Amino acid sequence: MEHSRHGKLVVKRSTIGKDDLATLQADWQRLEKIANGSVFTSWYWISTWLKNIDYKAKLLTVTFNQEIVGLALVVERSENKYGNSIKQLWLNRTGDQVKDQIWNEYNDVLCAKGTEHAIRAAIINFFEQQTIAEELIIGASDETIQQTPISSNVLVHTSWATVSYSKALKPEYNELNQFLSELSVNSRQQIKRSIKLYGGLDSIHITPAQTADEAISLLTEAGELHKQRWKQRQSGFENPHFVSFHHQLIRDHFDNGCIDVLKIKNDQRVIAYLYNFKFKGNVYFYLSGIEYCDNNKLKPGLVAHSLAISYYANLGFKKYDFMGGEGRYKNSLSDEQSRMIISNFRRRNLPFMLSSILRKAKALYSHKNANNNASNNANAS
């Protein structure tokens, strides 16, 4: 067991096995109650993930006066970079693209709300002091993760970034028209026209799965549509690990009330399936299966999400989170945007320093080139 001290915070790294799960669950769920975490750092997600990777992760425990104040799991991995084998630690992920296609967002250490920077700094300090890895990868997370105070011996690189969208829910959205009234004229007209073409609001029904078996069945139906939609980019439903993880997640935790699979249809046809997670008053839209057709006046995605927003507002939820990924429909239906990133915390060694210098030089060149082009265009006009 390795450990390091960061002020009065002590970080320990230890192995875990099935015999440790009961204790880990109790510690995790105790912190979960006072954390500002998401469903992706909840025991629901974490316990299923551990099971699916056969518990091949190490536990980082942060203590203050011998009380546990922070928890995270890391997987060790080596990757060839810059002609060298670089040892990595992946926080709550494996670093294996196939296994990580399950894609967790809002990924971070688990700790009490308001202590995130201090606990994360202690873990980064542990990484810096130990010799087990040259790189610690955390994400996808909110970009504020990079406000964590770190030593000058650690470099930070953003290896991936996207926009995340969400919509604050109001009780009055239980009336769909109240929600639609806040959208742009164009979006509102498209949705109302689509609903009319689907036979009117009274003809459209949202049916949530009632059992784990039904949820898996509906998710399988959604998967067929998802594969059709993402033929050019491999759908997760083509990945056995992805399918196995979500089936296990549903079997283990559907009865805890954290999972919804919604089937949205009119009297003749399926419009869409939505696979959502529910946690601490928030709804996380994870994926959809959309029944597209040749009639471009039908907007099944806009209709499905608008109805879902009204549905969850009626149930008392506070936020509908579209999560990361560009999408016109997300922009149309949301009222808040943020930036989601993957952060690589790296030892200040020669390969990483050279890489950082080259990236900055390339960015500076691109910026100057863009300014020169703009100046030339202005002079020519």
Side-chain angles (χ1 to χ4, degrees), residues 198 259 269 288 331:
Y198 280 125
I259 297 167
R269 56 183 289 183
S288 62
N331 189 52

Side-chain angles (χ1 to χ4, degrees), residues 40-41 91-93 104-109 138-141 145:
F40 300 102
T41 54
L91 189 136
N92 299 334
R93 296 176 71 198
N104 51 341
E105 298 188 16
Y106 301 106
N107 184 23
D108 205 349
V109 299
I138 305 178
S141 313
I145 191 174

Side-chain angles (χ1 to χ4, degrees), residues 56-58 60 72-76 89-93 136:
K56 293 177 181 176
K58 298 292 177 63
L60 298 183
L73 294 155
V74 290
V75 173
E76 299 171 12
L89 293 179
W90 289 76
L91 189 136
N92 299 334
R93 296 176 71 198
L136 170 66

Side-chain angles (χ1 to χ4, degrees), residues 118-130:
I119 302 301
R120 200 183 301 118
I123 286 178
I124 295 171
N125 179 70
F126 168 83
F127 152 74
E128 179 194 349
Q129 291 186 11
Q130 302 298 316

Side-chain angles (χ1 to χ4, degrees), residues 223-370:
E224 293 305 311
L225 295 173
H226 196 271
K227 287 188 286 188
Q228 292 175 26
R229 176 71 176 87
W230 298 104
K231 286 181 180 178
Q232 304 304 317
R233 295 165 56 189
Q234 188 186 46
S235 162
F237 290 96
E238 303 280 5
N239 178 349
H241 184 86
F242 177 95
V243 174
S244 172
F245 172 85
H246 285 288
H247 286 189
Q248 189 70 55
L249 182 68
I250 291 170
R251 282 193 293 269
D252 287 351
H253 299 298
F254 183 85
D255 290 341
N256 293 320
C258 63
I259 297 167
D260 263 345
V261 186
L262 306 181
K263 184 176 186 177
I264 302 169
K265 65 185 294 292
N266 65 3
D267 294 335
Q268 285 82 37
R269 56 183 289 183
V270 169
I271 297 171
Y273 299 87
L274 299 179
Y275 180 34
N276 298 331
F277 302 127
K278 302 174 292 184
F279 190 71
K280 290 190 174 182
N282 296 329
V283 178
Y284 298 87
F285 161 59
Y286 185 77
L287 65 78
S288 62
I290 305 292
E291 184 68 77
Y292 292 100
C293 67
D294 294 333
N295 186 347
N296 60 13
K297 292 183 178 180
L298 287 174
K299 305 295 181 183
L302 282 173
V303 169
H305 284 293
S306 297
L307 292 173
I309 284 170
S310 180
Y311 172 80
Y312 286 114
N314 186 53
L315 293 175
F317 285 89
K318 304 302 181 186
K319 180 187 283 189
Y320 190 85
D321 197 329
F322 291 98
M323 302 204 298
E326 298 282 354
R328 184 181 298 176
Y329 73 96
K330 294 182 180 183
N331 189 52
S332 298
L333 301 179
S334 65
D335 59 6
E336 184 178 348
Q337 295 183 16
S338 59
R339 192 163 175 259
M340 196 75 66
I341 62 174
I342 294 177
S343 300
N344 299 52
F345 296 90
R346 296 168 165 175
R347 292 182 183 278
R348 189 178 286 275
N349 57 26
L350 183 59
F352 285 140
M353 289 175 67
L354 289 174
S355 173
S356 179
I357 291 169
L358 288 172
R359 278 197 312 275
K360 289 177 181 178
K362 183 178 179 181
L364 181 62
Y365 174 79
S366 298
H367 179 70
K368 285 184 176 179
N369 196 43

